[in-house]
Amino acid sequence: MAAGADADKARYLMGLPIFRGLTQGEALELAGLIKGIAVAPGEYLCREGEPGECVFVLTSGEVEVLKQTAQGNEQHLATITAPSVIGEISLIDGAARSASVRVTSTAGLYRIDCADFNKLRYHWSTAASKVMRNLALTCCERLRETTEKINVFF
């Protein structure tokens, strides 16, 4: 049963950009780290300022990204729908969350703990190396997009 469940998780991961380029075996290696979690609508996956200890894979439903304003209110920044990865920068730096994420509809989620992922990194796992490269490319793309938006103002 567990082997079949891991194979299903591996196939799902291979369809997401940060897991692109993984072989079936590498995806299975990562699938072994995944825990399914249940979060009800209105509950938070993570809150701004909390340590980034895990990454979430949204398999169904939607969540909203919220940022605390200087006045103490939560400002809606974005709505994220499945399939998507949330909090992936935690795999790089483990720093405090830069925003809060709240579930807005019944959602299917996987959780990957950074500590488990880092064990793969420290053992020179090819799967972990490919994910880190994909994360670096994603960060570069986001930085370029942000720079282009800023350039509009100057």
Side-chain angles (χ1 to χ4, degrees):
M1 177 84 149
D6 279 354
D8 290 342
K9 291 175 187 175
R11 275 190 293 280
Y12 191 84
L13 291 178
M14 291 172 73
L16 298 169
I18 73 161
F19 300 106
R20 75 177 157 248
L22 294 178
T23 65
Q24 181 71 22
E26 292 163 348
L28 278 168
E29 183 179 24
L30 290 174
L33 304 179
I34 292 175
K35 301 163 186 77
I37 62 169
V39 183
E43 289 185 30
Y44 285 81
L45 288 181
C46 57
R47 290 192 183 261
E48 184 176 344
E50 291 179 344
E53 298 172 342
C54 68
V55 175
F56 300 98
V57 178
L58 183 64
T59 60
S60 63
E62 79 180 20
V63 299
E64 64 179 335
V65 180
L66 305 161
K67 183 76 176 159
Q68 193 81 21
T69 66
Q71 294 77 26
N73 302 316
E74 284 186 324
Q75 175 68 45
H76 176 90
L77 296 180
T79 298
I80 299 172
T81 57
S84 193
V85 178
I86 301 160
E88 64 273 23
I89 302 305
S90 296
L91 290 178
I92 296 172
D93 65 4
R97 301 285 187 185
S98 59
S100 297
V101 178
R102 183 170 54 204
V103 176
T104 55
S105 69
T106 301
L109 291 151
Y110 294 142
R111 175 187 164 120
I112 303 172
D113 289 327
C114 292
D116 292 337
F117 183 82
N118 285 335
K119 288 176 190 172
L120 293 181
R121 284 181 51 209
Y122 300 144
H123 288 97
W124 300 99
S125 160
T126 302
S129 295
K130 287 180 179 180
V131 170
M132 294 304 288
R133 175 168 167 65
N134 289 338
L135 279 173
L137 292 171
T138 298
C139 288
C140 289
E141 182 180 311
R142 289 177 185 165
L143 180 58
R144 290 182 196 283
E145 289 171 2
T146 301
T147 300
E148 284 181 28
K149 290 177 183 175
I150 291 171
N151 284 339
V152 170
F153 295 107
F154 299 103

